[in-house]
């Protein structure tokens, strides 16, 4: 993947307000569990939250313990 494609993917991910909420939460807490993120952004649908986290894969990582940062 080229640098330009990476930027395109990042900017596309940032267009969504839920994803921006997730990033702000992780900035404030440094790390959070799936459930912490789910509660903070108010998404009850785990599949939908998984989708949003996948869209943030260039910006958010998951530790071996399952925490996102």
């Amino acid at each position: 993947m080229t640098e330009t494609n990476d930027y395109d993917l990042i900017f596309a991910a940032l267009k969504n307000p839920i994803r921006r909420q997730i990033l702000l939460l992780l900035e404030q807490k440094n790390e959070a569990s799936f459930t912490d993120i789910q509660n903070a952004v108010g998404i009850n649908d785990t599949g939908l939250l998984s989708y949003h986290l996948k869209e943030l894969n260039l910006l958010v990582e998951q530790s071996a313990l399952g925490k996102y940062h």
Side-chain angles (χ1 to χ4, degrees):
M1 199 173 284
T2 66
E3 185 176 330
T4 301
N5 286 341
D6 284 347
Y7 286 130
D8 289 343
L9 292 172
I10 290 168
F11 290 127
L14 293 175
K15 285 188 343 184
N16 187 286
I18 292 171
R19 294 183 207 133
R20 291 193 305 268
Q21 275 186 286
I22 293 169
L23 291 174
L24 288 172
L25 172 73
L26 294 175
E27 180 185 14
Q28 293 169 353
K29 291 187 143 204
N30 293 323
E31 68 176 15
S33 69
F34 187 91
T35 304
D36 291 338
I37 296 169
Q38 188 176 21
N39 292 334
V41 298
I43 295 178
N44 293 324
D45 182 344
T46 58
L48 180 60
L49 182 56
S50 293
Y51 167 76
H52 285 301
L53 289 168
K54 181 182 170 219
E55 292 295 307
L56 290 170
N57 69 343
L58 290 175
L59 301 169
V60 175
E61 296 179 345
Q62 188 176 18
S63 72
L65 298 175
K67 299 274 186 162
Y68 292 89
H69 60 275

